Amino acid sequence: DKLNDLDFLVLPMKDIISYVGYSQEYICREVKKRTGTTLSKYIRKMKCMHSLSLLEDTDIPVVNIASMLYFPDESNYITNFRKIYNVTPGEWRRRVRGKQTKV
């Protein structure tokens, strides 16, 4: 249930493991079975998904969004975002806002 809760997903991995109360191997195996991906990739994907609304609905700088979502740095956030959406967060923001003004 907590895998969709951003407040939970931004915790350090050791805290997530501790909270669940099972071994890291068991948790990682179950997440892979349920999501088709590793726990760390799933967490990065969910954080990037959450960032979409921040990019669309706010003027918060990308560097601050990266920090808010506990990415190690802006570059790491941009790299992970690009792997998922094939554009940088800044490009995504420009495209979404461009579509809004054309409507």
Side-chain angles (χ1 to χ4, degrees):
D1 291 337
K2 291 283 197 181
L3 285 180
N4 295 317
D5 180 0
L6 183 65
D7 292 331
F8 182 72
L9 294 176
V10 297
L11 293 173
M13 189 70 72
K14 66 179 180 60
D15 292 347
I16 292 172
I17 301 298
S18 176
Y19 176 86
V20 175
Y22 292 99
S23 71
Q24 183 171 348
E25 294 78 19
Y26 176 80
I27 294 167
C28 290
R29 187 173 53 247
E30 287 301 305
V31 167
K32 177 87 173 188
K33 189 186 325 179
R34 295 169 195 259
T35 67
T37 191
T38 65
L39 178 59
S40 58
K41 284 182 183 178
Y42 181 81
I43 289 170
R44 287 191 300 267
K45 179 181 177 184
M46 294 305 294
K47 291 193 303 186
C48 285
M49 282 178 59
H50 179 73
S51 76
L52 295 176
S53 63
L54 294 171
L55 291 165
E56 182 176 352
D57 300 333
T58 72
D59 291 322
I60 300 170
V62 170
V63 67
N64 292 35
I65 292 173
S67 178
M68 290 169 58
L69 296 175
Y70 295 91
F71 281 94
D73 54 48
E74 180 182 18
S75 176
N76 183 274
Y77 167 56
I78 292 170
T79 299
N80 282 287
F81 192 96
R82 186 179 303 158
K83 283 180 185 177
I84 297 167
Y85 299 109
N86 296 316
V87 295
T88 66
E91 291 169 17
W92 191 90
R93 176 180 267 166
R94 285 188 294 279
R95 288 180 185 181
V96 168
R97 290 187 173 182
K99 289 178 185 175
Q100 289 174 350
T101 58
K102 293 178 183 177
V103 175

